[in-house]
Amino acid sequence: MSASQTRRQGPLSRFTILDASRVRAGPTAIRTFADLGARVIKLEIPPGAPGGDDMIGSRDHNRADYENLHRNKESLTLNMKEPQGLEILHALVKTADVFIENYRPDVKYRLGIGPDDLRAINPRLVYASISGFGQDGPYANWPGFDSIAQGMGGLMSVTGQPGAGPMRVGIPIADLCAGHFCAQAIMAALLEREVTGEGQWVQSSLLESQIAMLDFQAAQWLIDKKVPQSTGNEHPLTVPTGVFATSDGYINLAAIGNTMFRRLCQALEMPDLVDEPGMGSDPERVRNRGRVNAAIGAAFKLRTTADWTQRLLQAGVPCGPIYTVDRMFADPQVQHLGMARTMHHPELGDIEVVALPMQFSRHPRNDGPLQPAPYQGDQTEQILGGLGYSTEQIAALRAQFVV
């Protein structure tokens, strides 16, 4: 057994996952399982076969993204359009726990790898699908992209400066959240399987995930019939919050409620502001947002970000500096949390990737080395050999672009 096939330690090390997903949302869901010890076999279209993998997130297009997204996985090249390719998939499905795909909804049925097809082979299989807009409905076959979901899911309407028009978020949040929600659904289905012995089909979509992430702003419309508007860096329901310029940069402030506002005014050495008309409650301060921000904004410009951060935290007022990514990773708390993990790469040497943002008391996340993202088809021979294919048979399959 190769090192890549050796069972790694972790709370999910007993599970095997077949990952037929591409781009971002699906690989994000499965990275969680790979980091927690599951065996993940990444199914990729063989070189020379029609179709090819998407450029986004590929090794050639964005090496850093690829290494961060596909670590701890194995790679099997497999053309599922060919009968022999389907035979191999079926053999893998017999002992797999999860199969995940994020094709357009109709593609899996045309390939003959839909949930009913694969669960007929293994009723314990949890079949996971991620789509742009859901598995059925009027938009089911629309291509799903993060920015489109951000717009249709309402997020862009509440992002950006007031009056400046819609603004997308700086990360692919619809993709990422669809992946994380899908991972939760898979976990729930695996838990339910322990009781019933049956797998099931679980789904998430970029649109549904983005709407769910609106949370209280979605509830404002559903319950109060109020359409939320963009408020820039500020909170729509409480003032003062948001970004304020200091003498050497910026500070993030969250003085929510009357108690915090009093503490803030004391720390800013302007206690009389609390008693001015229009300052007595969050709703009043929201109505007088401009006057509140102008008053405290002038005070913030008199000291450095570090000085204000120390003063406000001592006063019990939530605040913090605003970092660029390099300064964020240099922060002592971030370093203490170990959010950058070292991974040895055979070509790149020691590189760092983003750590899993979870802690387990009996499974420390720094136990054992991370495995670099595989090259396309790295484990094809080992995986097929484990299914009983000979060297000659594998060579023949390669010649036919089956693997």
Side-chain angles (χ1 to χ4, degrees), residues 118-131:
L118 299 191
R119 292 193 60 251
I121 298 167
N122 178 4
R124 289 177 55 82
L125 184 74
V126 173
Y127 190 109
S129 296
I130 301 178
S131 61

Side-chain angles (χ1 to χ4, degrees), residues 241-289:
T241 59
V243 177
F244 293 88
T246 64
S247 65
D248 66 345
Y250 295 91
I251 190 169
N252 234 335
L253 176 70
I256 298 172
N258 290 341
T259 299
M260 291 293 181
F261 185 59
R262 291 192 194 94
R263 292 176 183 174
L264 172 67
C265 292
Q266 290 289 340
L268 293 175
E269 299 178 349
M270 45 195 317
D272 294 342
L273 185 62
V274 174
D275 299 320
E276 289 189 13
M279 302 290 178
S281 67
D282 270 327
E284 289 179 278
R285 290 190 291 273
V286 168
R287 289 192 293 270
N288 293 282
R289 186 187 298 270

Side-chain angles (χ1 to χ4, degrees), residues 124-198:
R124 289 177 55 82
L125 184 74
V126 173
Y127 190 109
S129 296
I130 301 178
S131 61
F133 301 94
Q135 294 296 311
D136 46 34
Y139 305 155
N141 284 313
W142 283 21
F145 285 90
D146 175 84
S147 58
I148 309 302
Q150 286 194 34
M152 293 180 67
L155 178 63
M156 291 174 64
S157 73
V158 296
T159 305
Q161 292 298 326
M167 175 70 69
R168 70 178 292 274
V169 174
I171 61 172
I173 192 166
D175 276 338
L176 297 175
C177 290
H180 292 312
F181 282 130
C182 185
Q184 292 178 43
I186 294 170
M187 296 277 195
L190 289 172
L191 285 171
E192 194 266 355
R193 189 183 73 172
E194 293 182 359
V195 177
T196 65
E198 292 279 329

Side-chain angles (χ1 to χ4, degrees), residues 219-261:
Q220 278 187 301
W221 165 250
L222 291 174
I223 296 173
D224 298 331
K225 300 307 177 188
K226 177 182 177 183
V227 179
Q229 303 296 317
S230 61
T231 56
N233 289 317
E234 300 180 52
H235 195 284
L237 302 179
T238 184
V239 174
T241 59
V243 177
F244 293 88
T246 64
S247 65
D248 66 345
Y250 295 91
I251 190 169
N252 234 335
L253 176 70
I256 298 172
N258 290 341
T259 299
M260 291 293 181
F261 185 59

Side-chain angles (χ1 to χ4, degrees), residues 207-372:
L207 182 60
E208 290 168 282
S209 300
Q210 184 57 80
I211 293 170
M213 290 302 293
L214 287 183
D215 199 51
F216 75 90
Q217 287 167 305
Q220 278 187 301
W221 165 250
L222 291 174
I223 296 173
D224 298 331
K225 300 307 177 188
K226 177 182 177 183
V227 179
Q229 303 296 317
S230 61
T231 56
N233 289 317
E234 300 180 52
H235 195 284
L237 302 179
T238 184
V239 174
T241 59
V243 177
F244 293 88
T246 64
S247 65
D248 66 345
Y250 295 91
I251 190 169
N252 234 335
L253 176 70
I256 298 172
N258 290 341
T259 299
M260 291 293 181
F261 185 59
R262 291 192 194 94
R263 292 176 183 174
L264 172 67
C265 292
Q266 290 289 340
L268 293 175
E269 299 178 349
M270 45 195 317
D272 294 342
L273 185 62
V274 174
D275 299 320
E276 289 189 13
M279 302 290 178
S281 67
D282 270 327
E284 289 179 278
R285 290 190 291 273
V286 168
R287 289 192 293 270
N288 293 282
R289 186 187 298 270
R291 187 156 62 91
V292 177
N293 289 341
I296 67 173
F300 272 121
K301 291 180 180 178
L302 300 177
R303 298 180 186 275
T304 66
T305 298
D307 192 354
W308 281 125
T309 300
Q310 182 179 14
R311 286 169 177 263
L312 293 181
L313 291 177
Q314 287 177 345
V317 178
C319 68
I322 298 174
Y323 290 143
T324 53
V325 175
D326 56 335
R327 293 178 63 200
M328 175 270 291
F329 277 114
D331 181 89
Q333 182 65 24
V334 175
Q335 293 188 347
H336 170 77
L337 293 171
M339 282 306 297
R341 280 201 64 187
T342 299
M343 178 175 75
H344 183 74
H345 192 279
E347 292 181 358
L348 304 177
D350 285 345
I351 60 175
E352 290 185 314
V353 293
V354 183
L356 186 71
M358 304 175 188
Q359 302 279 7
F360 294 83
S361 61
R362 290 192 294 109
H363 295 280
R365 65 185 175 196
N366 290 322
D367 274 6
L370 293 171
Q371 296 176 6

